[in-house]
Amino acid sequence: DVQLQASGGGLVQAGGSLSLSCAAIGFTFDDYAIGWFRRAPGKEREGVSCISSSDNIIYYKDSVEGRFTISSDNVKNTVTLQMNSLKPEDTAVYYCAALPRRHPCGRSYVNYWGQGTLVTVSS
């Protein structure tokens, strides 16, 4: 079975940092790219950052470029999203997902979703 286990959300003040982790079970990064998506209140789920580690391809949404860093550990089969300089507008439920390699970082391409983890940034 393919599973994605997300962890690491929480409450942080604006300007602070959080790290989200996604553990991939039942597949390797040769099979899928991994993405972090988020859904803010009243908004649609959007792609924040995706990594296709086998292809050395990384994508960031414009609004997080320079503040968020995605990385993969192919031994532990985990993907980490390090979020720095957090803003209130980053508040959302964050989901990790598996999608085909070399595809756009879009929710319509996702094959598997993990459970969400809430990130709340206070002003």
Side-chain angles (χ1 to χ4, degrees):
D1 279 352
V2 170
Q3 294 183 47
L4 296 154
Q5 297 180 348
S7 61
L11 172 64
V12 66
Q13 288 188 330
S17 299
L18 280 175
S19 180
L20 304 182
S21 181
C22 178
I25 300 169
F27 67 96
T28 72
F29 298 150
D30 287 337
D31 302 317
Y32 293 99
I34 299 295
W36 283 99
F37 295 74
R38 68 187 181 189
R39 183 166 60 198
K43 296 187 178 181
E44 294 186 344
R45 197 176 303 194
E46 62 181 1
V48 175
S49 181
C50 290
I51 182 168
S52 184
S53 56
S54 296
D55 308 290
N56 292 315
I57 296 173
I58 290 178
Y59 161 85
Y60 294 105
K61 178 179 172 60
D62 284 348
S63 61
V64 308
E65 181 91 52
R67 299 188 297 121
F68 290 10
T69 303
I70 193 169
S71 60
S72 65
D73 184 326
N74 292 355
V75 174
K76 296 181 179 179
N77 229 31
T78 57
V79 169
T80 298
L81 184 69
Q82 177 64 40
M83 304 184 296
N84 298 329
S85 302
L86 282 161
K87 303 176 180 180
E89 52 263 43
D90 294 317
T91 294
V93 178
Y94 284 71
Y95 302 85
C96 67
L99 62 163
R101 290 166 48 190
R102 298 186 299 273
H103 275 57
C105 191
R107 66 180 189 273
S108 61
Y109 298 100
V110 170
N111 295 108
Y112 301 98
W113 291 100
Q115 87 283 10
T117 184
L118 178 62
V119 171
T120 304
V121 185
S122 63
S123 56

